[in-house]
Amino acid sequence: MKIYLAGPLFSEGQRSWQMRIKQGIQNWAALQGLALDVVYPYELVESAGQGGGSELAGQGVFDLCEGALRETDLLVATLDGAQVDDGTAWEMGFFYAFNRGARERILGIRTDFRRAGDAEGTRVNAMLDASCGCIAGSLEELLQRLAPLVSGTAPAGN
């Protein structure tokens, strides 16, 4: 099973938080004996850029991320900030549409205590909020919400 980890990756702090989420999911999966592949776009882009020795252009980044989203089973989106990162919002919308509205396959994580929703009862933009099966408030809660979605995953090593 593949999980795509969407979120901003432009600062060291953002990348560090994304890696903490990725490693948290991987460590949890290993303890459960589950075979999960967490796809982190920064690593995809970094790996693809290594081949030519130059930075990957915009279209190349788009193609890599779109291709990975098409091959992904679940999406975990980091929704922190005064406003959700625009690339993350696009990835959520694309994944939602590509999977015919299967919102239960989109999990958000928002540790930011500020209200960023534009409608009563939403934690982020209403369109993003409604696209998520859940929005967890911590990594621990995210793992709890992830558990029933991956329970049928084959054990690691099989």
Side-chain angles (χ1 to χ4, degrees), residues 39-101:
V39 178
Y40 176 36
Y42 184 77
E43 292 173 336
L44 287 177
V45 171
E46 194 174 51
S47 175
Q50 301 278 327
S54 63
E55 191 172 305
L56 201 59
Q59 185 66 47
V61 172
F62 178 89
D63 292 343
L64 275 173
C65 293
E66 181 191 15
L69 282 163
R70 290 177 184 274
E71 297 173 358
T72 299
D73 302 297
L74 299 170
L75 179 112
V76 170
T78 302
L79 306 175
D80 286 335
Q83 189 169 337
V84 172
D85 172 69
D86 49 359
T88 303
W90 185 90
E91 289 165 325
M92 289 176 67
F94 178 84
F95 188 82
Y96 181 89
F98 185 74
N99 288 285
R100 294 182 169 83

Side-chain angles (χ1 to χ4, degrees), residues 34 40 49 81 92 108 115 118-119 138 145:
L34 301 173
Y40 176 36
M92 289 176 67
R115 184 174 180 269
D118 52 0
S138 67
R145 300 293 193 120

Side-chain angles (χ1 to χ4, degrees), residues 140-151:
E140 294 75 21
E141 183 185 353
L142 176 71
L143 297 175
Q144 290 173 353
R145 300 293 193 120
L146 191 59
L149 299 174
V150 299
S151 60

Side-chain angles (χ1 to χ4, degrees), residues 117-130:
D118 52 0
E120 192 63 38
T122 61
R123 294 179 62 189
V124 294
N125 173 283
M127 298 300 284
L128 300 177
D129 196 278

